[in-house]
Amino acid sequence: MALGAVAEPPVRRRGSDYAQLSRRISQAGLLERRPASYVARLVLTLGAFVAGWVAVFLVGDSWWQVALAAVMAVATTQVAFLGHDAGHRQMFRRRGPSEVVGLVAGNAAVGISYGWWVDKHNRHHANPNHEDEDPDVGAGALVWTPEQAVETRGAHRWMASRQAYFFFPLLFLEGLSLHVASIRAIIGREQSGRYATPMRHRVVEAGLLLAHTVGYVALLLAVMSPGKALVFAAVHQGLWGLYMGCAFAPNHKGMPMPTAEDELDFLRKQVLTSRNVRGSRLVDTALGGLNYQIEHHLFPNMPRANLRRAQPIVRAYCVEQGISYAETGLIESYRQALGHLHDVGRPLRG
């Protein structure tokens, strides 16, 4: 979808637009950290995560482990959301405590590199949905622009032409992809010998990832047969990847994709490329607050619990400025994302 497709009247690009909104948000006290609330969330979420693994140990060599694998996929995703919040310093102002939470949630509990994710996610936030700058829309198993589509070859070309049908099935492999990308980020080097991915605590991250992997495999093989352990891992990792993908897919997929020719200020760059998902507090919890994607992109260090209160302020301000504010239901968000993927592959089907 081209940026010019957004229906909105021409507006002056004033550098003060975001500053005015930021003042309103600050005056409402919505940028203040809520450490006590986050400590409670950490205790409850990590407590449920640990309790789930205790249940796996107690159930033992039983096919009921398949049901527990599904439960642990949900728990793992909720822990991953904590790592996301820590990466944005939504919990604490100081880097130290935020990194401790991020390393525990990401490397030790979930098995993905916190340092790699922070580097990748920061680049996404700086230029959301920008084909050349946002790593989340780079060509891969899926393609996001017609230009990426025409460059595909062979089996990838055939798949790209029908990629909308493959989107959800591919998400079952997202968990494995995140694990592999994390390992590559930790050990990968450029031709010069320098590490390709900047990382503050590379040795610690490597040790925690190794401990996670050894602990995961050892626990499963200690309490169930190899066959059941393999099924458990497949269900757990597959559903975790699906859940993660379903939580992130509504945010930007199918929204305008700016190019170097589009001159957008920070406010418009973040709002026009993001989509909110309507819903209750249950949706807030299920999507880790990412359903307020517009507010999150405008104020990435805003505590998750404040995003709901910030939404009416941001939406009203966008109306004042004549800026298109995208908000839809969850199912409709998937329809729009899949529609975009289908349209991108259309030339290949011809």
Side-chain angles (χ1 to χ4, degrees):
M1 181 185 296
L3 190 64
V6 177
E8 62 170 352
V11 294
R12 292 172 55 200
R13 301 302 187 225
R14 299 184 302 275
S16 62
D17 286 349
Y18 177 73
Q20 292 177 25
L21 174 61
S22 184
R23 279 194 293 271
R24 294 186 188 183
I25 293 294
S26 182
Q27 288 169 0
L30 299 178
L31 296 179
E32 295 297 323
R33 302 300 194 281
R34 302 176 61 172
S37 173
Y38 262 116
V39 168
R41 186 184 296 273
L42 283 166
V43 170
L44 290 173
T45 305
L46 291 176
F49 180 77
V50 172
W53 285 117
V54 171
V56 169
F57 179 79
L58 294 176
V59 168
D61 192 23
S62 166
W63 284 112
W64 282 107
Q65 294 284 12
V66 176
L68 276 177
V71 172
M72 288 310 301
V74 175
T76 301
T77 306
Q78 289 295 321
V79 172
F81 289 152
L82 291 178
H84 169 271
D85 293 1
H88 284 295
R89 296 198 202 175
Q90 295 176 10
M91 301 178 179
F92 315 105
R93 288 189 180 277
R94 293 177 54 222
R95 170 181 282 176
S98 299
E99 288 187 338
V100 169
V101 173
L103 290 169
V104 170
N107 294 65
V110 177
I112 61 175
S113 166
Y114 173 73
W116 162 75
W117 178 85
V118 167
D119 174 71
K120 176 176 178 288
H121 199 61
N122 283 346
R123 287 186 282 128
H124 158 71
H125 267 262
N127 291 284
N129 253 24
H130 191 294
E131 180 183 359
D132 299 322
E133 304 291 342
D134 183 355
D136 289 351
V137 292
L142 300 173
V143 291
W144 306 102
T145 67
E147 292 76 17
Q148 292 175 350
V150 299
E151 292 178 359
T152 57
R153 296 290 182 271
H156 191 197
R157 189 178 184 85
W158 178 87
M159 182 175 170
S161 70
R162 299 162 177 80
Q163 62 182 356
Y165 301 104
F166 289 103
F167 178 71
F168 285 110
L170 282 173
L171 291 182
F172 285 99
L173 299 176
E174 180 65 14
L176 177 62
S177 175
L178 291 173
H179 292 312
V180 172
S182 296
I183 295 172
R184 286 179 174 173
I186 288 177
I187 66 176
R189 295 176 182 267
E190 299 174 344
Q191 290 185 346
S192 63
R194 298 177 59 183
Y195 285 108
T197 302
M199 204 171 293
R200 284 173 53 83
H201 308 289
R202 192 175 304 274
V203 174
V204 173
E205 292 214 28
L208 289 175
L209 277 185
L210 179 62
H212 167 87
T213 304
V214 171
Y216 186 87
V217 174
L219 174 62
L220 296 188
L221 292 178
V223 302
M224 62 188 86
S225 66
K228 290 189 180 72
L230 184 61
V231 172
F232 180 99
V235 173
H236 175 220
Q237 297 297 321
L239 291 181
W240 169 55
L242 177 66
Y243 186 178
M244 287 280 287
C246 287
F248 283 92
N251 303 341
H252 304 280
K253 304 302 182 274
M255 293 302 291
M257 299 185 67
T259 67
E261 298 178 357
D262 295 300
E263 297 182 3
L264 297 174
D265 62 1
F266 179 80
L267 175 66
R268 289 163 180 80
K269 176 165 51 174
Q270 302 299 335
V271 174
L272 295 178
T273 59
S274 303
R275 178 196 293 113
N276 276 15
V277 175
R278 300 189 196 96
S280 64
R281 293 189 183 276
L282 178 61
V283 174
D284 294 358
T285 300
L287 298 183
L290 298 177
N291 46 314
Y292 301 107
Q293 191 67 194
I294 294 173
E295 290 70 29
H296 171 58
H297 262 258
L298 289 171
F299 305 99
N301 61 357
M302 179 183 289
R304 189 195 309 183
N306 290 349
L307 293 170
R308 173 177 280 268
R309 294 169 55 199
Q311 184 188 31
I313 299 174
V314 173
R315 182 167 48 197
Y317 187 75
C318 287
V319 171
E320 291 177 21
Q321 301 298 319
I323 303 173
S324 178
Y325 182 99
E327 185 179 24
T328 186
L330 183 61
I331 302 302
E332 175 61 17
S333 73
Y334 294 139
R335 190 198 68 78
Q336 292 179 14
L338 292 176
H340 173 73
L341 289 173
H342 193 65
D343 288 343
V344 167
R346 190 183 306 278
L348 305 184
R349 295 192 296 275

